[in-house]
Amino acid sequence: MPSTDRFETFFHNAPSGMALISVDGRWTEVNRALCETLGYPQEDLIGDSIETFIHPGDYTGGELRGRLLAGEIAAARADWRFVRRDGAVVWMRVALSLVRDAAGTPSFLIAQCEDVTAAKAVEQELERERLWLDESQAAGRIGSWELDLETGEMRWSREQFDIYGVDPAGGVPGLDEMLALIHHEDRGAMLETVRTHVASGEDFIDEYRVVHPRLGIRALLVRGCYLPRDLALGRPARMVGTTLDVTAERRAEAERRRDEERLRLLATIVEQSVDAIVVFDPAGVITHWNDGATRMYGYSAEEAIGRTGRFLLAAGHEAEDDDLLAAALRGEGVRAMQTARRRRDGDLVQVALTVAPILSSEGQPLGVSVIARDITEQLRAQERLLDNERQLYDAQALAHVGSWEWDVALPRPDWTAEMARIYGYDSDHVPEVDDLVARVHPEDRERIWELLEEARSGYPGEAEYRIVRPDGEIRFVHGRLRTRADDDGVVTHIYAAVQDITERKLGEAELERLATHDPLTGLPNRRTFEGRLELELARARREGTGLSLAVLDIDRFKRINDTLGHQAGDEVLRVAAAELQRQVRSHELIARVGGEEFAWILPGADETGAMIALERGRRAVAGLMLEELGRVTLSAGFATLRDDLDAESLYRLADMALLDAKAGGRDRVVAAGAVGATGFDGAAAGGGAAAGVGRTAGMGRPAGLEPVR
């Protein structure tokens, strides 16, 4: 039989699915097994794209086919979900291989398709069981562990790692690491357990505390069980066990002890309380009646205990007690309400009731406590205050700040003298509505108009904004609006409280400046410099532009401090910094990075441009003459960005060049990069344009070499 016939026979009779696929991803031939697996007749498959039949979330065939056609891989395998004709999903493991013609041109793909639905179901079931076990242990806060007594190897469950607060990625901790997690007071007992039980293979139960990195001190109950070697199953002698987090239980025990003490204290408080405190059992019968209840209701404890509370109910409130007691016994928590109760003499007393369940340590209802406070006088006072409530509310809202009130039907608002002062007007100034906005800074004015319009629509708000006083001074203010509407909801009045917050804003700005600038020189500080350097490095690499970095140092600064004092040294730093700042272009940055050292970032500057700028700065400082100090000079080293340099390397090169400038006589600029050029003393050269220019080849500061200050 020719090989072609043999292949075709094998293809069509193969027990698993097989197909030929064109290089553009279409079925060109499919065997019977594949058709049966997918539930489609052959004619429905041939000519259609394989992608049509694959679950949308799985298809990666285009990428695999592209890599096969490009020759990147010789074969490919993937697990995909196919959608059968009846809508069912079947998992198939597809092996793809490429067939080329004699000239090496891709002809078609051979696909072997194995139905792995059952295997996938087993995998998924195993994964579900693993997740169920993890979730069960997590829910119960129970971890499990296993110790191979022959090799000393230990395995932990996921919850075991969580209980101890250990990252599973780092593996099971060793004994020393475990001891570090145990509370220092319990380490000795834990070690004794290891020696006497684990090492000898004896069952044990132990409890100790650990210090969880996130949850703090936790109490753990550890159980271990010895399992001898099982030759039939090939298992070594093992110690297996569980770790139960009993922190909640131990805390509950401590809480119960505290509760008992609190109850003794509360019993005393209850008897001495001026409020009426009545306790009911679950059947609604009074079991406790304090002296406050006797004073409020007029009944003695002997007359009340053993009865239900219905004798206290006013007409129309008969079902009230039943509802309150039932809700409390259902565990609905504390409830509060105002109602009326009937005294023994028939008078009604207005009370505020607080109803709360009394629970056992296990959370079971033991009864209900009802605390009643006589609020008769309070309600009378509230009635007297109702007429004044609106005025009091407005007065409180506008206290201690400038304020204005506007009846929107009138053209002019009314404002206080403090409001006029904030806006820079005389106290007798008669404001117009436009005055409220005309003084607002132009950049904030639109927002304030919007705020007023929103208030007129019934949506008052607040904002911080700037005002410009008639004398030109800018002040920061915070304004808050309130409105009053008529019965139809139409706003009739707008009220505002305006507070001058200028000092607070200036203080915030100064704090921001101090965080980013050196307080002595006013230059950006090292933190600002480091952030800017990273930005400029990224920009230079992204845009392909140049970048140079210079490190500058005041010459003989230590001598200035030692001979003339730190005050003179500070003056030198201030004057030199101001002069250098005048030499810096708008897109550059010079910062004080420490002591007498400055750093200058020159974006876009190559070596020549950086040398010119630094020489200009050196000459500018060298031209300064200070009283008692005479001429001040500085030295500088700089480096220009290369592909192999990061921020730290670039700074190190510039610093090495500075060292060479110092060693070569000071008052000079040295570029990092070339060997042999040494520069010379700018003072000896008369401060000319070439004075102090040189190069260094250093990539880092040599060991033991420090700057010559």
Side-chain angles (χ1 to χ4, degrees):
M1 181 184 292
S3 60
T4 304
D5 294 340
R6 284 199 301 272
F7 172 77
E8 191 152 334
T9 299
F10 169 75
F11 178 88
H12 287 291
N13 295 317
S16 59
M18 294 190 69
L20 302 184
I21 302 173
S22 64
V23 293
D24 64 350
R26 298 181 178 277
W27 308 104
T28 60
E29 194 163 350
V30 295
N31 73 348
R32 176 181 50 79
L34 182 60
C35 292
E36 291 176 354
T37 300
L38 295 179
Y40 285 94
Q42 189 180 53
E43 56 269 19
D44 285 1
L45 296 176
I46 292 177
D48 207 342
S49 171
I50 184 174
E51 183 178 354
T52 304
F53 303 91
I54 296 178
H55 191 285
D58 290 355
Y59 184 65
T60 58
E63 177 187 351
L64 293 177
R65 190 172 69 252
R67 296 182 65 192
L68 286 166
L69 294 174
E72 296 179 10
I73 53 176
R77 176 174 292 181
D79 289 352
W80 293 330
R81 287 173 293 175
F82 283 75
V83 181
R84 288 173 44 88
R85 186 174 188 175
D86 59 10
V89 174
V90 58
W91 277 97
M92 286 204 283
R93 183 162 292 150
V94 181
L96 295 173
S97 57
L98 177 66
V99 177
R100 298 179 182 271
D101 60 18
T105 303
S107 295
F108 58 89
L109 295 161
I110 298 177
Q112 292 180 277
C113 306
E114 178 187 0
D115 186 343
V116 294
T117 304
K120 286 290 184 180
V122 172
E123 289 177 10
Q124 292 170 356
E125 182 61 27
L126 287 174
E127 178 63 15
R128 279 195 295 270
E129 289 184 0
R130 185 189 66 78
L131 290 175
W132 175 81
L133 179 59
D134 287 345
E135 290 168 356
S136 298
Q137 289 195 349
R141 296 295 290 160
I142 302 175
S144 57
W145 53 269
E146 179 184 64
L147 173 63
D148 186 326
L149 295 177
E150 298 177 8
T151 65
E153 181 183 359
M154 178 172 275
R155 295 175 55 213
W156 279 11
S157 70
R158 180 178 299 178
E159 184 60 23
Q160 184 85 352
F161 283 99
D162 287 345
I163 287 173
Y164 281 88
V166 175
D167 185 356
V172 178
L175 181 59
D176 290 341
E177 295 173 295
M178 278 285 296
L179 286 174
L181 297 171
I182 305 301
H183 192 283
H184 65 90
E185 295 178 359
D186 297 347
R187 286 174 190 161
M190 185 265 194
L191 281 172
E192 184 64 22
T193 297
V194 172
R195 282 194 294 266
T196 60
H197 296 283
V198 178
S200 60
E202 298 178 358
D203 296 354
F204 70 91
I205 299 176
D206 197 8
E207 184 172 330
Y208 53 82
R209 293 164 295 172
V210 297
V211 182
H212 194 285
R214 289 184 294 102
L215 304 178
I217 297 175
R218 311 292 292 176
L220 305 182
L221 181 65
V222 182
R223 298 175 184 267
C225 176
Y226 173 72
L227 297 179
R229 178 184 299 176
D230 190 331
L231 295 178
L233 296 177
R235 291 182 175 176
R238 296 170 295 145
M239 181 73 75
V240 298
T242 59
T243 302
L244 174 63
D245 187 335
V246 294
T247 306
E249 290 80 355
R250 298 300 174 261
R251 288 176 178 170
E253 292 171 2
E255 184 64 27
R256 279 196 294 272
R257 290 191 293 270
R258 288 193 293 269
D259 285 345
E260 291 172 359
E261 183 61 32
R262 282 198 296 267
L263 284 174
R264 285 192 290 270
L265 177 61
L266 287 173
T268 302
I269 295 174
V270 165
E271 290 307 317
Q272 297 177 356
S273 174
V274 297
D275 294 331
I277 301 177
V278 180
V279 176
F280 296 84
D281 67 12
V285 175
I286 298 172
T287 60
H288 183 83
W289 181 277
N290 77 336
D291 291 343
T294 297
R295 289 190 294 271
M296 181 178 295
Y297 299 125
Y299 294 94
S300 68
E302 291 75 13
E303 293 174 306
I305 291 175
R307 303 171 64 181
T308 66
R310 290 184 174 276
F311 66 95
L312 298 174
L313 300 180
H317 296 263
E318 288 78 6
E320 195 172 85
D321 263 21
D322 292 340
D323 293 341
L324 287 173
L325 294 176
L329 291 171
R330 286 195 301 268
E332 294 183 7
V334 178
R335 299 181 65 179
M337 66 176 298
Q338 292 184 8
T339 186
R341 286 290 183 261
R342 184 173 299 281
R343 289 170 46 83
R344 183 172 187 171
D345 58 12
D347 291 342
L348 293 180
V349 56
Q350 299 294 324
V351 294
L353 294 184
T354 301
V355 182
I358 301 173
L359 304 177
S360 69
S361 57
E362 291 77 24
Q364 297 301 314
L366 300 177
V368 178
S369 71
V370 179
I371 302 175
R373 174 164 294 177
D374 187 342
I375 59 171
T376 305
E377 287 302 319
Q378 177 184 334
L379 292 177
R380 290 170 181 166
Q382 287 177 353
E383 291 175 2
R384 291 193 297 269
L385 290 173
L386 282 176
D387 292 340
N388 300 324
E389 185 177 7
R390 182 180 297 169
Q391 292 84 346
L392 179 61
Y393 180 85
D394 292 341
Q396 290 174 340
L398 301 174
H400 305 301
V401 292
S403 61
W404 54 264
E405 176 183 351
W406 180 30
D407 181 344
V408 297
L410 302 176
R412 293 186 178 90
D414 293 324
W415 64 10
T416 63
E418 179 65 10
M419 181 69 188
R421 187 200 65 77
I422 291 174
Y423 269 60
Y425 290 105
D426 294 333
S427 59
D428 57 354
H429 177 76
V430 179
E432 301 283 344
V433 174
D434 287 346
D435 286 336
L436 302 175
V437 181
R439 292 288 108 199
V440 176
H441 193 284
E443 296 177 2
D444 301 337
R445 195 171 296 157
E446 182 176 353
R447 173 64 189 122
I448 300 308
W449 274 122
E450 292 174 354
L451 199 67
L452 284 172
E453 289 302 317
E454 289 167 1
R456 294 192 68 171
S457 301
Y459 299 96
E462 61 184 290
E464 290 185 2
Y465 55 99
R466 293 161 294 175
I467 59 172
V468 183
R469 288 178 165 181
D471 61 2
E473 181 184 7
I474 295 177
R475 306 290 292 179
F476 290 85
V477 297
H478 178 272
R480 179 183 289 111
L481 300 182
R482 294 179 185 269
T483 59
R484 180 187 297 171
D486 60 18
D487 294 339
D488 297 324
V490 177
V491 172
T492 59
H493 292 76
I494 299 176
Y495 305 89
V498 179
Q499 182 181 12
D500 189 336
I501 59 171
T502 305
E503 283 68 32
R504 190 193 83 195
K505 284 290 188 179
L506 294 177
E508 291 171 355
E510 178 62 14
L511 287 175
E512 176 66 20
R513 191 191 70 80
L514 289 175
T516 57
H517 285 71
D518 172 45
L520 177 64
T521 64
L523 294 180
N525 59 17
R526 188 179 193 94
R527 173 184 171 191
T528 304
F529 158 74
E530 290 173 347
R532 178 68 175 276
L533 179 57
E534 291 291 349
L535 289 175
E536 295 299 345
L537 270 172
R539 179 182 297 148
R541 296 195 191 284
R542 184 174 63 252
E543 300 177 0
T545 56
L547 174 66
S548 293
L549 172 66
V551 182
L552 306 89
D553 191 277
I554 303 295
D555 293 331
R556 299 180 177 85
F557 186 76
K558 186 176 184 302
R559 184 184 302 171
I560 295 172
N561 271 342
D562 291 345
T563 57
L564 299 176
H566 290 283
Q567 211 168 6
D570 289 350
E571 181 62 19
V572 169
L573 290 174
R574 277 193 292 266
V575 172
E579 190 58 43
L580 287 172
Q581 182 66 54
R582 282 191 283 272
Q583 309 304 318
V584 173
R585 292 178 294 179
S586 60
H587 66 288
E588 299 172 350
L589 178 135
I590 189 162
R592 183 187 179 197
V593 293
E596 69 274 24
E597 192 167 278
F598 302 88
W600 190 342
I601 302 175
L602 299 105
D606 57 14
E607 186 173 302
T608 302
M611 182 66 78
I612 292 171
L614 289 164
E615 260 303 289
R616 186 175 68 247
R618 184 193 65 80
R619 289 197 303 271
V621 173
L624 297 172
M625 295 294 292
L626 301 179
E627 187 178 350
E628 296 184 4
L629 297 176
R631 183 167 173 265
V632 177
T633 64
L634 61 77
S635 300
F638 72 94
T640 301
L641 181 63
R642 302 193 308 262
D643 290 340
D644 60 336
L645 297 178
D646 57 13
E648 182 179 353
S649 302
L650 187 65
Y651 192 97
R652 190 185 310 118
L653 277 177
D655 193 45
M656 288 298 301
L658 171 63
L659 292 180
D660 284 356
K662 292 285 189 179
R666 303 184 183 88
D667 191 20
R668 54 192 278 115
V669 178
V670 172
V675 179
T678 58
F680 53 90
D681 191 333
V693 178
R695 294 177 181 273
T696 182
M699 277 298 293
R701 181 176 292 175
L705 181 59
E706 296 299 329
V708 180
R709 302 300 184 191

